[in-house]
Amino acid sequence: MTSRGRVEDHYTSEGITARVLTALRAVNGPDVPITPETLAPIDHFHGRGSIATKELAEVLQPEASDHLLDIGCGIGGPARWIAAKYGCRVTGVDLTAEFCVAARELNGLTGLADRVRILHGSALSLPVPDKSFDRAYSQAALMNVSDKCGVFRETFRALRPGGLLALSLAGAGTAGEPHYPLPWATTTAISFLATPEEVQGDLLAAGFQIVFVRDTSAALAEALAPVLKQLETEGLPPLGEHIVTGENAKEWRINAMRSTAEGRLSMIEALARKPA
Ligand SMILES: C[S@@+](CC[C@H](N)C(=O)[O-])C[C@H]1O[C@@H](n2cnc3c(N)ncnc32)[C@H](O)[C@@H]1O
């Protein structure tokens, strides 16, 4: 199987939207409105959920007239949340066909289908025209891609001159290999962890100017310490990304948090600009 096939295999499951709605109604009642806010505990696939999406969006500062590109958009939680909050348009691209199906269904249910568009495709060959986006972001997706420079070259092509790219991804730590299985990969076969320096080098090689590249793992480990304790003692909460990814999410999340706390994973945030 190709790396692309293995990645899609890792994330694929059927009937995602039905599972999401069943869980949401079981917890919040049959009449719960289906909005980016009510979906948020389930549809942001990364450690700190919608809090991390909010922070990424604050770095990117989208304007209502902007068209954003979300690279590795998952089932579209961050894209819907940002489109609803900032009034902008977002196009999400994702490799996993079942995630694209669920994302489109949830766009329809939240009334955001006219502003959030989902395309099935690879970050290494983005199915979008040149210079068609004002801003781009990728959150918790590039750990599955070995050729990060290839993704940055494609993003550079898709952005207009002066356009911004914000990144948030787990990276290599300094204390050895992380504990597997992890949320993005059960083995090293589809986990490609770079250092902040390597990400910076790849951004520069693709033509970007660096606004900042930083390692926020110390702050992340501190923020996640109570979450880790709660997960270990009480188990998964009623609503979480496990509604989509399955009960294995408990072990995956514990491993990610332990690996971060032990310096086996870094958390890389970056902002880069395509020269005007
Ligand atoms: C951990 S999920 C994060 C999803 C979303 N960014 C979020 O934060 O909710 C990683 C996503 O990256 C996607 N992905 C991985 N490699 C990709 C690639 N080469 N091109 C496009 N999407 C990719 C996966 O299909 C998956 O949906």
Side-chain angles (χ1 to χ4, degrees):
M1 200 189 282
T2 60
S3 174
R4 179 178 173 157
R6 283 200 202 98
V7 171
E8 187 166 9
D9 209 40
H10 172 73
Y11 289 108
T12 291
S13 66
E14 289 180 359
I16 293 171
T17 304
R19 285 205 302 283
V20 168
L21 295 181
T22 301
L24 200 60
R25 288 173 179 147
V27 172
N28 293 327
D31 300 324
V32 59
I34 308 301
T35 69
E37 288 296 341
T38 59
L39 289 170
I42 304 175
D43 65 1
H44 296 244
F45 289 176
H46 42 260
R48 287 159 59 244
S50 60
I51 297 171
T53 301
K54 179 171 175 278
E55 290 172 2
L56 184 84
E58 282 167 359
V59 164
L60 205 52
Q61 295 186 353
E63 293 176 14
S65 57
D66 282 344
H67 191 181
L68 271 58
L69 175 64
D70 180 339
I71 302 155
C73 64
I75 66 168
R80 282 184 294 278
W81 194 93
I82 290 172
K85 178 160 172 61
Y86 291 91
C88 55
R89 282 183 298 147
V90 184
T91 290
V93 175
D94 202 281
L95 201 62
T96 303
E98 288 294 337
F99 277 7
C100 294
V101 169
R104 290 186 193 111
E105 289 170 348
L106 293 169
N107 290 347
L109 289 166
T110 51
L112 284 163
D114 57 336
R115 279 196 285 130
V116 182
R117 180 178 61 143
I118 304 295
L119 303 174
H120 181 216
S122 169
L124 288 162
S125 176
L126 291 167
V128 299
D130 296 356
K131 301 179 188 168
S132 47
F133 293 91
D134 303 291
R135 288 157 216 254
Y137 64 93
S138 181
Q139 197 175 19
L142 296 188
M143 301 84 75
N144 287 130
V145 184
S146 69
D147 181 11
K148 293 179 187 28
C149 190
V151 175
F152 300 154
R153 275 197 299 269
E154 270 295 88
T155 312
F156 190 92
R157 176 186 68 73
L159 278 171
R160 66 162 168 78
L164 289 168
L165 167 63
L167 298 174
S168 166
L169 68 153
T174 52
E177 283 291 305
H179 304 289
Y180 286 90
L182 287 161
W184 59 90
T186 54
T187 70
T188 54
I190 55 164
S191 183
F192 306 100
L193 300 171
T195 64
E197 294 75 23
E198 287 167 340
V199 168
Q200 173 154 334
D202 284 344
L203 284 166
L204 288 169
F208 282 100
Q209 297 167 339
I210 304 296
V211 180
F212 65 76
V213 175
R214 59 193 179 206
D215 178 352
T216 59
S217 41
L220 180 66
E222 200 179 321
L224 289 179
V227 184
L228 174 58
K229 199 166 178 187
Q230 193 172 18
L231 199 52
E232 284 172 330
T233 52
E234 295 171 29
L236 292 164
L239 297 180
E241 64 185 67
H242 61 279
I243 304 298
V244 177
T245 59
E247 295 292 316
N248 286 334
K250 179 180 172 188
E251 184 188 6
W252 297 355
R253 292 203 63 204
I254 286 174
N255 282 344
M257 290 188 246
R258 274 185 54 212
S259 298
T260 306
E262 293 170 9
R264 295 170 184 275
L265 283 177
S266 57
M267 173 50 62
I268 304 170
E269 293 181 357
L271 184 66
R273 187 188 307 278
K274 178 171 174 171

